[in-house]
Amino acid sequence: MIVNSYLNDLARRAIVRDDEKEGIQRSINTITQRLKSYDENKYQIGDTLIFGSYKRRTMLSREFDDNSDVDIMVVFGKKFEGFYSFEPRNTQPKSPKTYLNYLKDFAENKYPTSLRRQDFPTIVLELNHIKFDLVPAIIDDWNSYKIPRKRKSNDFYQFDEWTTTNPNGLDGALSNNQTLRRLVRVAKIWNAKQGYIYESYELEKWIMQNSFCGNLAQHFYRFCELLPINRNLSQDKQRKIQKLKDSAKRAEYSDDKSTIQDLFE
């Protein structure tokens, strides 16, 4: 099956390789150590948590996506008897904006020569050609993670409220499903090649909300069939999605990889 073999090879080549992983892990360790030394209990950083596509093994190598990033959740609050709290005890956490500004100050202080920006709700560092998104978070009385919520007010975006999130929400569906994980990579390669029609996380989440069976080619054909053409998208983006659908139909009929190669290469 030529198309199936081509897609599997594409998904395999997009994996973050061991040498890239080693560099990422070194940067994670350094960021974590510098956060803790910089904090010195001022804002009481309790923990750091790696989540997102890197943890799920759906992150693309930089060869396929220059915007690949590693998500680091910075949890504020100290753990007392199994619960997170602040000193003095039972003090309420500060506003999301306060923690975002604090992480921005950290980046400017500890990484003055690194490319960095604030990209709601994260602070972005670029180290050794890999982006690291620092996301401030707190844990409520029910042990749920909360991150800054985006709210529009008077044509400006505010982040003065917290919203509950599950940083590992997509992990379960992928834990023992290698074919589905490969489909996610293939879909993200196509998305990056087309100029990011969708936000990477939203595309991944949409895939998790649908059902697939069979080999990778069959997963791909169903993905192309189900992917909606949102009329709110630009005409150019709608055209690219329609091209994906038409090319997939030809590939399914002919089993000829040349009908889809230009979507990815």
Side-chain angles (χ1 to χ4, degrees):
M1 302 184 68
I2 297 174
V3 171
N4 189 58
S5 297
Y6 169 73
L7 292 174
N8 272 290
D9 180 65
L10 186 67
R12 178 189 56 79
R13 289 189 285 119
I15 293 174
V16 177
R17 296 296 169 190
D18 288 344
D19 56 342
E20 198 170 357
K21 284 181 181 178
E22 290 174 3
I24 289 172
Q25 191 57 55
R26 283 195 299 269
S27 293
I28 289 173
N29 293 341
T30 301
I31 290 171
T32 301
Q33 292 168 3
R34 290 183 178 181
L35 272 169
K36 290 180 178 178
S37 64
Y38 182 76
D39 187 58
E40 294 180 344
N41 289 323
K42 181 180 180 182
Y43 280 93
Q44 303 173 51
I45 292 176
D47 201 2
T48 54
L49 175 71
I50 307 303
F51 70 107
S53 60
Y54 180 68
K55 183 174 180 290
R56 291 190 294 271
R57 291 182 290 160
T58 56
M59 175 179 163
L60 301 182
S61 167
R62 294 276 291 193
E63 178 185 347
F64 289 85
D65 185 2
D66 287 339
N67 287 327
S68 287
D69 55 26
V70 178
D71 298 303
I72 304 177
M73 183 175 285
V74 182
V75 183
F76 290 87
K78 295 294 185 178
K79 202 167 189 177
F80 297 100
E81 298 176 357
F83 294 94
Y84 279 83
S85 184
F86 294 82
E87 290 285 8
R89 292 293 297 275
N90 299 320
T91 301
Q92 291 298 311
K94 301 181 184 299
S95 71
K97 186 174 181 180
T98 298
Y99 293 128
L100 279 166
N101 286 337
Y102 181 64
L103 291 179
K104 182 181 178 183
D105 291 342
F106 160 77
E108 291 173 344
N109 184 279
K110 294 295 185 180
Y111 294 93
T113 60
S114 298
L115 175 66
R116 60 188 183 277
R117 68 180 187 277
Q118 183 165 320
D119 185 17
F120 179 88
T122 71
I123 302 300
V124 182
L125 297 173
E126 185 164 356
L127 308 173
N128 301 318
H129 308 297
I130 293 290
K131 294 184 179 70
F132 294 84
D133 286 10
L134 307 184
V135 184
I138 59 173
I139 297 180
D140 64 20
D141 293 339
W142 295 271
N143 279 329
S144 296
Y145 290 97
K146 290 191 171 184
I147 62 174
R149 181 173 79 88
K150 189 175 185 178
R151 181 176 64 84
K152 194 171 185 179
S153 175
N154 298 325
D155 295 326
F156 292 96
Y157 285 108
Q158 305 289 334
F159 36 94
D160 52 5
E161 297 176 359
W162 296 102
T163 185
T164 301
T165 187
N166 181 0
N168 302 315
L170 301 183
D171 295 13
L174 293 169
S175 60
N176 295 307
N177 195 329
Q178 181 170 285
T179 304
L180 189 60
R181 192 180 297 118
R182 289 177 177 177
L183 172 65
V184 170
R185 287 195 214 107
V186 168
K188 290 169 74 171
I189 294 169
W190 167 78
N191 189 50
K193 178 72 174 178
Q194 309 312 312
Y196 306 100
I197 296 174
Y198 303 98
E199 290 186 10
S200 181
Y201 172 75
E202 293 301 322
L203 181 62
E204 195 163 343
K205 183 169 71 172
W206 180 85
I207 291 173
M208 297 301 102
Q209 292 170 343
N210 289 278
S211 60
F212 301 88
C213 62
N215 60 29
L216 181 55
Q218 291 168 318
H219 276 53
F220 173 70
Y221 297 144
R222 179 162 174 79
F223 163 79
C224 297
E225 177 185 357
L226 294 178
L227 192 66
I229 301 179
N230 190 330
R231 299 307 171 185
N232 293 327
L233 294 172
S234 69
Q235 289 293 321
D236 181 58
K237 290 180 178 179
Q238 291 184 39
R239 178 187 59 78
K240 289 177 178 178
I241 298 171
Q242 188 60 57
K243 180 181 178 181
L244 171 72
K245 290 176 174 289
D246 293 342
S247 298
K249 286 182 179 178
R250 290 194 295 271
E252 187 174 14
Y253 176 77
S254 65
D255 196 24
D256 183 355
K257 68 178 183 180
S258 68
T259 59
I260 59 171
Q261 279 181 293
D262 66 328
L263 299 171
F264 305 103
E265 301 177 11

